[in-house]
Amino acid sequence: MRSTQLHWRARARRVALGLAIGAALGLVPAAAQGQTAAEGEATFGQFCTGCHTIGGGDHMAPDLAGLPDRRDPDWVRRFILAPDEVIASGDPDAKALVDQYGGIQMPNLGLTEAQADGLLAYLGYAAAPSPAPAEPTPTEPAPPEVATAEPAPAAPAPAAAGDPRRGEQLFKGADGLAGGGPACLSCHTVSGIGPFGGGKLGPDLTGAFAKYGGEQGLRATMQAQPLPFPTMAPIFAGGPLTATEVDDLVAFLAGAPQRTRSSNAAGALIGLAFAAVAAFALAAAVIWRRRLAGVRRSLVNRSRGK
């Protein structure tokens, strides 16, 4: 398995080197250059490793090793950019994938065309196809006496709309989900939440914000219908998360990497067990201290008399 992963990484680097040399010599058209395989590897690590592997076998999504031998690059590029649209179009290959993995659909992660090109280069495609550039629209020159207005400053990026405190309450189950689903803590854990941590059925979500590509990727994953996780899909099929709940949970998970575990769950559990045994022993000693006192007294008196 490890050798297969190294093989495909080495192949991706060779493809990237070939693209760079071809671009320098003018042999690769500018539309096909896009991001490098190294940038595609970073994109893959940020957005794709939660579901896909390269040489690690199929899990909740297909293993992407050898993808250039199975799929046309144009189809892969379209699926990367808008998987929901490709599936909704009735594409037979997309439908077969959805059926193969139990109805789980890949969410639209909002990747850019440059990121898609980088992923194709990393996955071993010789050149990532790009749509032909649009013809420039002719414009009339402005009259010389009319002053050109200053460009408006770029608006700052909007802050996350969610409430991290309510997201924490939803995660722990202190506030119930509107759809009636179980609390996240029953299957997942986040560092520093709860004295004994959370469930072990699902993965630790402490670093989920970065793993799923930040706010955009994490929100797209939570809002996907059905959810792209075989265990969660049937549980939340009848009661998906609301938009507000998604915002609050995303805001909470965004701060999860900065949390520190307040206590060791195993140590706390062992300490609690010892405390319970000690309390039981003390209660038994108090309750039964005079049990059979008359019998013991007669035996002691008889022994002294002898």
Side-chain angles (χ1 to χ4, degrees):
M1 183 183 299
R2 179 65 177 171
S3 61
T4 304
Q5 293 175 337
L6 293 175
H7 166 74
W8 281 104
R9 289 184 180 179
R11 177 176 175 179
R13 292 190 180 96
R14 290 197 298 271
V15 171
L17 179 60
L19 286 174
I21 295 174
L25 298 177
L27 301 178
V28 179
Q33 292 172 19
Q35 289 189 351
T36 65
E39 292 170 313
E41 182 176 7
T43 302
F44 186 89
Q46 183 178 8
F47 289 95
C48 310
T49 53
C51 300
H52 295 280
T53 69
I54 298 181
D58 294 346
H59 295 302
M60 67 180 62
D63 184 347
L64 299 183
L67 188 63
D69 300 328
R70 307 193 305 269
R71 298 288 181 189
D72 177 79
D74 180 65
W75 186 93
V76 174
R77 189 176 192 275
R78 289 188 293 110
F79 198 80
I80 290 173
L81 291 173
D84 52 340
E85 296 179 6
V86 177
I87 295 170
S89 70
D91 182 275
D93 292 334
K95 183 179 183 303
L97 281 174
V98 173
D99 293 342
Q100 180 181 353
Y101 291 92
I104 304 300
Q105 299 184 16
M106 174 177 168
N108 190 327
L109 299 176
L111 299 180
T112 66
E113 294 183 356
Q115 288 173 318
D117 291 343
L119 283 171
L120 286 172
Y122 173 60
L123 293 173
Y125 288 94
S130 295
E135 292 292 332
T137 304
T139 56
E140 296 184 2
E145 66 274 10
V146 178
T148 304
E150 292 292 331
D163 181 354
R165 293 184 179 179
R166 183 167 185 273
E168 181 176 349
Q169 297 299 100
L170 290 171
F171 187 91
K172 295 190 297 185
D175 291 345
L177 297 173
C184 308
L185 194 67
S186 59
C187 297
H188 301 278
T189 186
V190 164
S191 180
I193 297 298
F196 305 112
K200 301 300 181 183
L201 179 62
D204 187 334
L205 297 182
T206 304
F209 189 80
K211 181 178 180 180
Y212 288 94
E215 181 178 344
Q216 181 179 1
L218 191 56
R219 177 176 282 107
T221 303
M222 289 186 181
Q223 291 176 333
Q225 288 300 318
L227 288 172
F229 309 104
T231 305
M232 296 177 64
I235 296 175
F236 289 90
L241 298 174
T242 66
T244 302
E245 289 171 342
V246 170
D247 289 341
D248 294 340
L249 286 169
V250 168
F252 163 66
L253 292 174
Q258 286 74 43
R259 296 176 176 272
T260 56
R261 190 173 297 278
S262 57
S263 62
N264 182 276
L269 187 60
I270 293 173
L272 182 61
F274 275 111
V277 171
F280 178 79
L282 180 61
V286 171
I287 294 173
W288 293 336
R289 59 180 177 174
R290 296 192 179 280
R291 183 170 180 265
L292 302 177
V295 176
R296 289 196 298 270
R297 185 177 298 109
S298 63
L299 292 175
V300 170
N301 291 339
R302 187 180 304 172
S303 174
R304 287 178 179 175
K306 287 183 180 181

